[in-house]
């Protein structure tokens, strides 16, 4: 009975975080998309790159998934091939109106994101954090619109991933496109951490974990390369993990 109550208590907050993650999108995919897509979109033709999906191409080109599918005769489940040429817009008039519509709808989202980002960040040292794995940070945190809302740490496939602090697992799954196998841990009413692109997950929802406990292994699920995408969220707002983690290779002094 206690377990059921715990799940009911944590589930709504986990859903709120999931929605926040969806709004900012996966930073690793954002970074790889911005680099891999360079030169692949020319005029009304897009060349499919490794890891592309219709939804990702839709975000980059301003065409809806439905329009992309219709223009290119693609039916569900929308399978793409590397090097495939896709038409990404119809007539110039429809393209113009579509861009206008995208511009209009993007403003409220940016405003919403700005209101969330206004939450004051906690002082450094207010909570002890452990590095979730070892490796080089290949993509740092960015607070800009569409920026990386965590850090990406490179490593080897199968490398251990550890809980950055003690807490309760509130999500284990791969339902969020672009994150692959994802684990989220709630540490208090204020803090949640997220660990994405795992090869395997070793914990279950509602399980309590200790700081430094192995929770997953590093992989490339939902990503073009082997890495860990790690987020710390304070009151649902992403904060820069490197501000709060100890120097690489050392333990926290707090």
């Amino acid at each position: 009975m206690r377990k059921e109550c715990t799940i009911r208590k944590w589930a709504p907050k986990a859903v709120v975080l999931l929605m926040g993650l969806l709004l900012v999108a996966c930073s690793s995919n954002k970074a790889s998309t911005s680099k891999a897509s360079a030169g692949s979109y020319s005029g009304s033709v897009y060349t499919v790159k490794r890891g592309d999906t219709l939804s990702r191409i839709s975000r980059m080109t301003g065409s809806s998934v439905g329009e992309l599918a219709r223009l290119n005769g693609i039916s569900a489940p929308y399978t793409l091939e590397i090097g495939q040429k896709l038409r990404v817009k119809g007539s110039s008039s429809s393209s113009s109106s579509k861009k206008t519509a995208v511009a209009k709808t993007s403003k409220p989202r940016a405003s919403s994101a700005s209101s969330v980002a206004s939450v004051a960040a906690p002082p450094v040292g207010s909570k002890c954090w452990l590095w979730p794995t070892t490796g080089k940070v290949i993509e740092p945190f960015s607070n800009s619109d569409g920026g990386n809302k965590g850090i990406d740490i490179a490593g080897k496939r199968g490398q251990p991933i550890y809980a950055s602090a003690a807490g309760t697992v509130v999500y284990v799954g791969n339902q969020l496109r672009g994150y692959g196998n994802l684990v989220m841990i709630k540490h208090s009413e204020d803090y949640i951490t997220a660990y994405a692109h795992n090869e395997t997950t070793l914990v279950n929802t509602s399980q309590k974990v200790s700081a430094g406990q192995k929770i997953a292994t590093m992989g490339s699920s939902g990503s073009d390369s082997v890495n860990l995408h790690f987020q710390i969220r304070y009151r649902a707002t992403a904060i820069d993990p490197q501000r709060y983690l100890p120097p690489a290779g050392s333990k926290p002094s707090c």
Side-chain angles (χ1 to χ4, degrees):
M1 184 68 180
R2 179 175 294 178
K3 183 176 181 181
E4 292 179 358
C5 291
T6 300
I7 294 174
R8 292 195 188 100
K9 178 181 178 181
W10 297 102
K13 296 179 180 179
V15 170
V16 171
L17 177 64
L18 289 173
M19 293 302 292
L21 290 172
L22 280 170
L23 286 173
V24 300
C26 178
S27 61
S28 297
N29 277 353
K30 174 202 70 61
S32 62
T33 296
S34 62
K35 296 173 183 177
S37 61
S40 62
Y41 178 33
S42 176
S44 60
V45 177
Y46 179 88
T47 303
V48 176
K49 299 293 184 182
R50 182 179 181 83
D52 275 342
T53 62
L54 274 192
S55 59
R56 182 187 299 179
I57 297 170
S58 170
R59 291 193 297 271
M60 287 190 294
T61 63
S63 302
S64 68
V65 171
E67 183 184 33
L68 287 171
R70 178 181 60 80
L71 287 174
N72 297 281
I74 302 173
S75 57
Y78 307 131
T79 302
L80 302 176
E81 296 181 0
I82 297 174
Q84 182 177 352
K85 305 291 185 182
L86 298 181
R87 293 175 58 196
V88 295
K89 59 184 178 181
S91 65
S92 57
S93 60
S94 63
S95 173
S96 175
S97 61
K98 190 179 304 301
K99 289 179 180 178
T100 301
V102 170
K104 289 180 179 178
T105 56
S106 64
K107 289 182 180 179
R109 292 175 187 168
S111 175
S112 175
S114 298
S115 64
V116 172
S118 65
V119 175
V124 174
S126 58
K127 184 173 180 60
C128 290
W129 299 103
L130 300 174
W131 278 86
T133 193
T134 58
K136 179 181 179 181
V137 175
I138 56 175
E139 187 71 24
F141 176 88
S142 171
N143 205 31
S144 62
D145 288 344
N148 191 4
K149 301 311 176 187
I151 57 175
D152 298 344
I153 307 172
K156 298 180 179 178
R157 189 176 302 278
Q159 172 174 321
I161 304 297
Y162 306 103
S164 191
T168 302
V169 178
V170 292
Y171 179 84
V172 177
N174 56 9
Q175 286 78 30
L176 292 182
R177 183 182 296 276
Y179 288 89
N181 297 322
L182 173 68
V183 174
M184 294 194 300
I185 300 174
K186 184 175 180 67
H187 305 282
S188 68
E189 289 302 313
D190 291 331
Y191 291 100
I192 290 181
T193 52
Y195 312 74
H197 306 316
N198 304 307
E199 179 81 1
T200 59
T201 52
L202 307 174
V203 291
N204 300 308
T205 303
S206 76
Q207 178 180 337
K208 293 187 180 298
V209 296
S210 56
Q213 179 176 334
K214 185 177 179 180
I215 59 172
T217 61
M218 188 179 292
S220 57
S221 58
S223 175
D224 294 331
S225 62
V226 176
N227 72 93
L228 169 68
H229 174 67
F230 174 65
Q231 292 188 12
I232 299 178
R233 289 191 167 249
Y234 175 71
R235 298 178 181 175
T237 299
I239 57 178
D240 184 358
Q242 288 187 280
R243 282 195 62 201
Y244 301 92
L245 291 167
S250 63
K251 294 182 179 180
S253 57
C254 52

